[in-house]
Amino acid sequence: MTKIYGYIRVSSRDQNEDRQTAAFQKLSIPAENIFMDKQSGKDFERPSYKRMVRRMKRDDLLYVKSIDRLGRDYGEILEQWRILTREKGIDIAVLDMPLLDTRRGKDLMGTFLSDIVLQVLSFVAENERANIRQRQAEGIAAAKARGVRFGRPALPYPDNFQNILCDWRKKKITLRQAADACGMPVGTFYGKARKFENP
């Protein structure tokens, strides 16, 4: 007997999955057959997804709202699609793209058209991910050019820093002793020493 499943993915814990959940409610998917991951779509190492795939059997049906909810990596989407449809014999229906419904057109022409649409959409999903990364990098570069500083603010030099640095350079104390005297990790002390001497 065919079982119906739904897969929901949002990229982070603070993103809202209501749009995907609402779409599945109209399909009467049993609540126990709806699986959700709150993590990036860059790969398929997602706990709920893997649990769902293990549970699914031949002729079961999987709904996803859109192809980018399945994943973002072009090659991995195609590989998962092949595993699910050809190896496991599962049907997939992408709600936002009716052409991506493996229940339709199971003849050679239908499979061919579905494969072409899948490849185009998978490429678009990955390309959008690359564009997002590029926009983030450009935004960070622009912010840095405006003088915006990222990360934790640098800790000020302790009052005794110069004296301790001098003692360390003269080998009166070890690097560890110098760092401890300044109340900082060895790596931090060493970095600050280099910056102090080469501003």
Side-chain angles (χ1 to χ4, degrees), residues 2-199:
T2 298
K3 290 186 178 178
I4 302 173
Y5 291 82
Y7 180 67
I8 295 170
R9 184 187 66 77
V10 289
S11 296
S12 61
R13 299 226 167 258
D14 55 351
Q15 281 192 329
N16 196 314
E17 67 275 4
D18 289 352
R19 188 176 65 91
Q20 296 173 73
T21 304
F24 289 164
Q25 284 173 344
K26 297 173 188 172
L27 300 169
S28 301
I29 302 172
E32 67 272 16
N33 287 355
I34 295 177
F35 291 78
M36 179 171 61
D37 284 305
K38 292 195 173 189
Q39 68 186 80
S40 165
K42 66 183 171 61
D43 59 40
F44 284 85
E45 292 302 312
R46 303 177 223 138
S48 290
Y49 179 82
K50 289 167 94 171
R51 200 164 54 251
M52 177 188 72
V53 171
R54 281 196 303 270
R55 187 191 289 188
M56 294 178 82
K57 304 282 188 268
R58 179 168 293 278
D59 296 326
D60 283 347
L61 171 61
L62 171 62
Y63 282 105
V64 290
K65 181 77 171 77
S66 56
I67 196 68
D68 66 341
R69 297 304 87 204
L70 190 60
R72 290 262 185 202
D73 181 273
Y74 173 66
E76 292 214 11
I77 292 173
L78 296 178
E79 176 63 9
Q80 284 299 309
W81 190 277
R82 185 191 65 75
I83 290 169
L84 293 174
T85 59
R86 302 209 176 129
E87 289 183 16
K88 290 188 72 80
I90 293 164
D91 278 314
I92 305 175
V94 180
L95 298 179
D96 288 353
M97 181 56 60
L99 278 173
L100 285 179
D101 186 336
T102 59
R103 296 169 298 174
R104 298 179 187 172
K106 292 222 178 207
D107 60 355
L108 187 61
M109 181 57 76
T111 303
F112 173 70
L113 289 174
S114 180
D115 284 352
I116 288 175
V117 172
L118 174 64
Q119 292 201 31
V120 169
L121 290 178
S122 300
F123 173 78
V124 168
E126 182 172 354
N127 198 46
E128 177 57 19
R129 191 164 71 101
N131 287 340
I132 288 169
R133 281 199 306 267
Q134 182 178 345
R135 288 194 293 270
Q136 286 173 336
E138 289 169 353
I140 290 168
K144 284 182 177 176
R146 292 192 311 270
V148 174
R149 295 179 62 98
F150 293 89
R152 291 181 295 185
L155 293 171
Y157 292 103
D159 295 336
N160 60 348
F161 187 80
Q162 192 167 2
N163 294 334
I164 292 170
L165 176 60
C166 187
D167 287 346
W168 173 58
R169 287 298 186 198
K170 290 178 180 176
K171 302 200 183 307
K172 291 181 179 178
I173 57 174
T174 65
L175 178 60
R176 164 72 62 197
Q177 289 170 330
D180 288 347
C182 290
M184 58 182 67
V186 169
T188 303
F189 175 82
Y190 186 75
K192 283 189 170 295
R194 292 186 60 146
K195 194 169 182 182
F196 187 85
E197 294 171 330
N198 303 291

